[in-house]
Amino acid sequence: MTTRALLIADTHVPKRARALPAQVWDEVEAADLVIHAGDWVSEDLLDELQERSHALLGCWGNNDGPGLRARLPEAGTAVVGGVRIAVVHETGAAKGREARMQGAFTDTDLLVFGHSHIPWGTTTPNGLRLLNPGSPTDRRRQPYCTYMVANIGNGTVDVELHRLPLRTSRTR
């Protein structure tokens, strides 16, 4: 059986956007699992994702206050479809990331992370897959806001990066 997972991070609701885009909520409804790699900012978003998700795996980020930190771990873990998953917010500088994370997450097959708002997908020499879905609400210097959908099963992860249409000031 394959698990459809929605990967998001750095939502910053309501500071960078009033809400998640409708397309992301559609993906929440379609997903078996939502993985959020921190910087929620609002406990209301956590509540809504818990209500609307089939399952949720998340962690807190550097912009998350005491309420979110009390409810979420610094690093979340789960085993899904034979894949050992971890989710953290920060992994440090891009240079040397694979080696650092390979050493820090020795019992992990897939590490989902955020913080940079920059989509990222690599695999270490030991087979650790690192994925950053970017941000669905704050593109910073990226051309698009993004998220990922991963199909996880039988020990494999197939992932697709999705771009969101650029928002106008009316849709913010």
Side-chain angles (χ1 to χ4, degrees):
M1 184 172 151
T2 301
T3 298
R4 181 182 172 91
L6 169 63
L7 282 54
I8 56 177
D10 298 292
T11 48
H12 295 272
V13 170
K15 290 188 176 187
R16 306 279 169 83
R18 283 185 227 150
L20 292 182
Q23 182 177 334
V24 175
W25 282 118
D26 290 344
E27 293 287 3
V28 168
E29 302 290 334
D32 302 304
L33 171 65
V34 175
I35 301 174
H36 191 302
D39 274 3
W40 310 69
V41 178
S42 167
E43 286 186 71
D44 292 341
L45 179 60
L46 173 56
D47 293 338
E48 191 170 5
L49 273 172
Q50 285 177 323
E51 288 174 21
R52 295 176 68 173
S53 301
H54 296 285
L56 178 64
L57 175 64
C59 65
W60 54 261
N62 62 300
N63 284 295
D64 295 327
L68 285 162
R69 289 176 188 230
R71 295 175 61 187
L72 295 163
E74 184 175 7
T77 60
V79 177
V80 176
V83 176
R84 299 167 300 173
I85 301 171
V87 58
V88 298
H89 185 62
E90 294 188 57
T91 59
K95 185 175 182 176
R97 177 177 287 139
E98 287 88 355
R100 281 192 317 276
M101 296 305 102
Q102 185 173 276
F105 291 91
T106 56
D107 315 4
T108 302
D109 303 307
L110 170 62
L111 176 63
V112 180
F113 67 98
H115 190 60
S116 68
H117 299 220
I118 300 170
W120 180 284
T122 57
T123 303
T124 70
N126 286 2
L128 172 64
R129 185 98 179 256
L130 291 99
L131 296 175
N132 183 332
S135 171
T137 57
D138 184 19
R139 64 187 177 97
R140 285 192 183 164
R141 294 173 297 279
Q142 299 305 298
Y144 297 95
C145 288
T146 57
Y147 65 90
M148 290 178 173
V149 172
N151 290 305
I152 304 168
N154 298 322
T156 64
V157 177
D158 294 315
V159 68
E160 194 173 310
L161 178 68
H162 293 265
R163 294 177 174 172
L164 289 157
L166 293 176
R167 293 183 316 214
T168 64
S169 60
R170 277 188 246 153
T171 61
R172 278 196 141 180

